[in-house]
Amino acid sequence: MSALLFTFGYRDRAMGAFAEHPAAAGRIARQDLYAFDNLALDGIDALLFSMHADQRFLAARAARIAAYIERGGTVVANGHIAYPYLPEVGGYIPSPGQGLKDLAIHRVAAHPIWDGVSEQDLTFRRGVAGFYGRGGHQPPAGATVVHTVGAQAQPLDFIYRVGAGRVLLHGGNDLWQYGGNDSTARIAPQLIGWLFGGAA
Amino acid sequence: MTLAVLDGGTFYHHDTIYGPRYRALFDRAIYVRDMAIRDLDGVNLLIVPDRINPDLLREHRGLLLTFLAAGKTLVVFGENEAETWAPGVAWTPRPTNFWWWLEADAQPPHRLLDPGHPLFQAVPFADTIWHFHGVLAPPAGARPLIEVPPEEDAAGGVLLYEDRVTTAGRMIVSTLDPFYHHGSGFMPATTRFLDGFLPWARQQAAG
């Protein structure tokens, strides 16, 4: 059981903490994104892409990523999609405004990754809304939408199947950034549990 | 006559460079992974946005030095380990206070050192103020523009300077990270900064 967490040249503390999280038990390896073409993906359970990933690079490899998922792999992607590197997902649509009605996070389906994480803690950080996500993407038919943002209910977190594999798109700041003194600290260990536990 | 910008391929570089707000200001966008010397033909001013992969910038260091040696202008923003590839740059990390504006007196620590610099006719000082990730120690003879004092255990230093002495060219170096935050659609001060800075940079490129 192992996952590759792709790095982008400079140090990212949240990424380091996630890879070294006790729940990961050494199963998350950091790997330079630009080594992707030389990696054997057989036996890798999951590919984890940061919001800081070079999407031009990834989009040029979309076919390999799609084939990896179809064979049973998991992909977790963060950020806004600017270049199409994931199968079947539309482009990013920002929320229409910066007010609370545009930025409130709503849970529309329960999911083990966010079990016990309050919508309030996702919506606000020190009283400020917008960090978790500020817009959405059009999910494929049949996707499970977990969170939406704003009055227009734009899909922010969703999970969908492709062949034997699955994709989690979080269209905001990296999920592994969350881990403060509130209920969002549950995300990292529960995400690790989902990666390696086999639940949908 | 040309203003060029490096593109790191992230969504926020995409949004800032190719989004409708600034797209017409850039004469050329160069995908950094494919950068070659011919991409800089005719370029007078090159912007290295914040959060360009520093491995690639180190790889292209010779090309950037050649550009400066030809008397051209290089603008370097934050979070790309400039101290490892840009001449004369000394950078010290400083814990980031994303929240200064929520505090009771909400006085940012920034000090404008050189209000007469023409940049500030295009960019109001207030539009340079948001969180920062580190401070710079400019080389002797460089022109420091904005600084922050030391605070508790954190080093003070410069957030923006102009250096015409280290190379035959001109470097404008900053720890600020406007491309990331504007392109993420979340920090209005960074948009106001680019609204002033990019037209000014275009003017400089026209020389």
Side-chain angles (χ1 to χ4, degrees), chain B residues 47-182:
Chain B
I47 297 175
V48 181
D50 40 287
R51 296 182 187 270
I52 295 290
N53 187 315
D55 291 337
L56 296 177
L57 293 168
R58 285 186 283 268
E59 204 174 290
H60 292 309
R61 181 165 188 269
L63 191 157
L64 297 170
L65 293 179
T66 303
F67 178 74
L68 283 165
K72 306 301 181 69
T73 299
L74 186 69
V75 175
V76 180
F77 283 109
E79 297 301 279
N80 54 33
E81 298 180 1
E83 70 281 7
T84 66
W85 55 269
V89 173
W91 178 85
T92 307
R94 179 160 154 159
T96 304
N97 179 4
F98 290 104
W99 307 102
W100 63 268
W101 48 284
L102 291 178
E103 287 161 11
D105 51 359
Q107 286 300 314
H110 306 53
R111 290 180 189 148
L112 177 58
L113 297 176
D114 196 343
H117 192 283
L119 171 64
F120 297 110
Q121 289 166 21
V123 180
F125 173 52
D127 295 347
T128 67
I129 295 174
W130 64 90
H131 69 264
F132 47 91
H133 298 274
V135 293
L136 300 158
R143 189 171 173 184
L145 303 178
I146 295 172
E147 72 165 7
V148 292
E151 191 177 293
E152 294 168 12
D153 293 340
V158 168
L159 302 186
L160 176 68
Y161 70 80
E162 180 179 54
D163 178 2
R164 292 176 181 267
V165 295
T166 301
T167 69
R170 168 164 68 147
M171 298 175 64
I172 295 166
V173 184
S174 180
T175 63
L176 296 174
D177 53 357
F179 279 70
Y180 168 48
H181 289 292
H182 168 76

Side-chain angles (χ1 to χ4, degrees), chain A residues 8 10 52 54-56 134, chain B residues 7 9 12 31 51 53 184:
Chain A
F8 35 79
Y10 58 87
H52 300 297
D54 177 350
Q55 296 187 10
R56 284 180 75 146
R134 299 170 291 281
Chain B
D7 170 14
Y12 43 83
Y31 177 48
R51 296 182 187 270
N53 187 315
S184 299

